[in-house]
Amino acid sequence: MDGYAVCWRDMPGPWRIIGESAAGQPFTGTLGAGQAVRISTGALVPDGADAILVQEDCQRDGDQLALSGGGPASQGAHIRRKGHDFSSDAVLAEAGTRIDARLIALAAMAGHGTLCVQRPVRVAILSTGDELVQPGETLPTLAHIPASNGVMLAAMLSGLPVELQLPQMLPDRLDAIGAALTHHRSADIIVTTGGASVGDHDLVQPALREQGGKVDFWRIAMRPGKPVMVATLGDAIVLGLPGNPVSAYVTALLLLLPLVRKLAGIGDVFPSACDGIAGAHFPANGARQDFMRARFADGALVPVDNQDSGALRGLLAADALLIRAPYQEAKRPGDTVHYIPLNDGA
Ligand code: AMP
Ligand code: MG
């Protein structure tokens, strides 16, 4: 505080002013009995002083100082002690902590001019399909559709420490897909969408094998998302996601984002599941874990109307993915259900 540094013992004064301590320009002497030093906010408290008289409480006449108000409530009032914020041996952030503005400020205050950080995760997105047209472009024929997966995945990754290779569109041709995969073999993750099933034009796996990639596993007992493939090529983990937009979204949420978080060293990799209340009848489930698009109606979860894996409007209407475990029994309104909320940016 702006005022005078004094010794608590000498209260209630009067004092003789012997110098000044300003911010960045400390008083170099030591306070003796009955002495005061003019002080300003941010200045070092002089040796020998242990109390601050705020300016409003004092009357000064030349080098004479007298108390005109109440004076400090306690000895150390208005003094920040050394280590009041953190001690020199404190761990201020664990490894893996995301650096934000507050941590940057704290690190700077702790004397760090540079921080050791992990580089962003390099992700390449490849959309396959002869029917795909860049979003916004006129569709040449009725057989074409806009390529929505690339921009959707890019948006899902935008909140994470990712260096993104712009979403690229590829025709259903072995040579084109193979060349693109090889081109990105030094990425951390190559995400493909489409071409992941068993059709004649599902070429991601054949192209990958042709380039020397190794498939770790293919197909997961989940709905949507059954055709997911996980492979390696060069330095890259290849995550083959389904082409259907809702399937691509759900598998990216449950598999791609956790993988990125893991590689980025971020602690909690999986989206957390919550307990909710069924607001409708849900039939017994089959062999695949189901992630049903659901919305809240009067506080309880009901399925959105269109559960088609190509129905992006149904996905947008959803507040949650309702989780139905394999062979889970039917649920009645009022029963407890588990769900993953869809409101955290992804
Ligand atoms: P696929 O996995 O290639 O058999 O594709 C499954 C469905 O997803 C098809 O109806 C495709 O037209 C559609 N699809 C594939 N890729 C995309 C994409 N990038 N954006 C939107 N829809 C897609
Ligand atoms: Mg396709």
Side-chain angles (χ1 to χ4, degrees):
M1 295 286 273
D2 292 312
Y4 297 88
V6 298
C7 187
W8 180 256
R9 261 200 326 268
D10 294 340
M11 287 287 290
W15 297 269
R16 193 170 64 81
I17 301 162
I18 60 164
E20 179 176 9
S21 181
Q25 294 175 42
F27 177 76
T28 48
T30 301
L31 239 76
Q35 295 181 332
V37 162
R38 176 88 178 115
I39 198 161
S40 41
T41 304
L44 202 62
V45 176
D47 285 342
D50 58 2
I52 303 295
L53 310 179
V54 299
Q55 198 161 307
E56 296 83 340
D57 277 353
C58 302
Q59 197 148 24
R60 178 178 183 166
D61 182 10
D63 66 352
Q64 296 302 305
L65 183 71
L67 202 58
S68 58
S74 65
Q75 194 174 8
H78 311 308
I79 296 176
R80 290 193 181 123
R81 317 296 308 180
K82 257 187 208 167
H84 78 102
D85 193 7
F86 51 87
S87 59
S88 58
D89 61 352
V91 175
L92 299 177
E94 300 289 345
T97 304
R98 184 109 190 243
I99 298 172
D100 62 6
R102 291 176 292 166
L103 183 52
I104 285 176
L106 177 59
M109 193 54 78
H112 298 284
T114 59
L115 290 176
C116 189
V117 299
Q118 191 156 329
R119 69 164 171 76
V121 180
R122 295 188 192 117
V123 182
I125 300 176
L126 308 175
S127 305
T128 71
D130 282 337
E131 75 279 34
L132 301 180
V133 172
Q134 284 290 1
E137 281 184 14
T138 308
L139 304 177
T141 73
L142 251 185
H144 290 87
I145 59 165
S148 61
N149 286 344
V151 289
M152 174 186 74
L153 294 174
M156 292 176 84
L157 292 167
S158 64
L160 288 166
V162 161
E163 189 183 302
L164 194 64
Q165 310 290 314
L166 276 186
Q168 190 182 342
M169 278 175 17
L170 300 169
D172 288 316
R173 275 201 346 254
L174 210 53
D175 58 341
I177 299 172
L181 287 170
T182 289
H183 178 75
H184 291 292
R185 59 190 296 144
S186 60
D188 296 304
I189 304 172
I190 303 173
V191 194
T192 64
T193 75
S197 297
V198 290
D200 294 339
H201 303 284
D202 290 326
L203 298 174
V204 171
Q205 261 193 73
L208 180 87
R209 289 187 205 279
E210 216 176 75
Q211 300 300 315
K214 182 180 149 295
V215 176
D216 289 313
F217 62 88
W218 176 42
R219 297 215 264 228
I220 300 182
M222 64 190 285
R223 181 179 49 239
K226 183 174 159 199
V228 167
M229 177 205 67
V230 175
T232 50
L233 177 70
D235 299 329
I237 295 172
V238 184
L239 190 56
L241 302 183
N244 273 304
V246 177
S247 313
Y249 176 84
V250 172
T251 51
L253 186 75
L254 298 176
L255 304 170
L256 171 62
L257 300 191
L259 176 61
V260 170
R261 292 189 195 104
K262 177 80 182 169
L263 294 184
I266 297 172
D268 286 335
V269 298
F270 290 110
S272 45
C274 309
D275 282 349
I277 299 166
H281 182 268
F282 293 95
N285 191 22
R288 288 195 274 154
Q289 174 137 332
D290 192 29
F291 297 93
M292 193 178 248
R293 276 73 71 206
R295 62 183 174 83
F296 284 107
D298 299 325
L301 283 161
V302 298
V304 302
D305 290 338
N306 196 343
Q307 293 288 326
D308 190 284
S309 59
L312 285 169
R313 208 170 167 194
L315 178 64
L316 183 65
D319 301 309
L321 293 179
L322 190 128
I323 306 169
R324 297 195 306 149
Y327 303 112
Q328 181 180 292
E329 75 284 11
K331 296 280 184 187
R332 286 180 308 223
D335 284 352
T336 299
V337 289
H338 301 297
Y339 70 95
I340 295 169
L342 294 184
N343 53 9
D344 55 358

